[in-house]
Amino acid sequence: GEPSRTLSRDELEAIEPPGHAEADVDFMKGMIHHHAQALRMTALVGKRSTSRDVELLADRIDISQEGEIQLMSDWLTARGEQAPELHRPHGHAHGGGQVLMPGMLTEAQLRRLERAKGAAFDRLFLTFMIRHHEGALTMVQNLYDDGGGLEPDVDAFARHVGADQTIEIVRMRGMLADR
């Protein structure tokens, strides 16, 4: 309702950014578990896929999500929160609960993916990873619905996840349609 104005240096320094909320902590911990499962899925690609584009996609997911796990762990630690510990060889994270986040696969679905090979693996991997990424978008929406995302770092990360996962979903749908 008021016209915009330029703040002085003193006025800017007096403004404290919003602190983090419990919803932020829950989101970051849950997203670490979510990313850990995506890494478990991508680890299967090398020995099961026969498609170079699926292998490249899996490599991209690996690189981005490992970096994001580190970012989320650092964020939690900086705020005195316990970060789930990633166990890459086992394809999961420990700590903060083991509830399936939206879009995560059940153990039965993971075993089904592990048994698939060749073109059948590629189709199943893409189908499951699309679902997995859609779950991440649900988690972002849930963060904001639960009153989180006010802290600038969490908001920026959640927006990044939303944009990145949306782009990859479009790419994967195209790859799946080509099959």
Side-chain angles (χ1 to χ4, degrees), residues 19-30 75-76 79 81 142-143 146-150 154:
H20 70 279
E22 193 61 33
D24 298 331
V25 173
D26 293 344
F27 172 76
M28 293 297 216
K29 287 182 177 183
W75 183 91
L76 287 162
R79 285 149 185 84
E81 300 287 345
N142 290 346
L143 166 70
D146 293 342
L150 296 179
V154 175

Side-chain angles (χ1 to χ4, degrees), residues 9 11 19 21 29 38 58 60 65 77 79 89 121 133 148-149 177-178:
R9 181 179 302 273
E11 289 173 313
K29 287 182 177 183
R60 184 194 184 293
Q65 297 208 356
T77 301
R79 285 149 185 84
F121 172 85
H133 278 32
D178 290 344

Side-chain angles (χ1 to χ4, degrees), residues 11 16 37 51-52 71 105 108 110 135 142:
E11 289 173 313
E16 289 190 37
Q37 188 180 81
S51 173
R52 183 72 181 133
L71 182 144
L105 304 182
L110 286 166
N142 290 346

Side-chain angles (χ1 to χ4, degrees), residues 84-142:
E85 186 177 341
L86 180 65
H87 290 273
R88 179 69 190 248
H90 301 112
H92 61 271
H94 290 285
Q98 298 297 321
V99 175
L100 288 181
M101 302 294 127
M104 287 181 69
L105 304 182
T106 65
E107 283 300 316
Q109 290 168 320
L110 286 166
R111 284 191 301 276
R112 182 175 164 212
L113 185 61
E114 288 170 353
R115 289 190 303 269
K117 297 218 184 301
F121 172 85
D122 294 338
R123 284 189 302 275
L124 193 58
F125 175 82
L126 291 167
T127 300
F128 282 165
M129 192 58 80
I130 290 167
R131 176 181 163 209
H132 199 268
H133 278 32
E134 289 171 341
L137 297 178
T138 299
M139 291 173 68
V140 169
Q141 186 59 52
N142 290 346

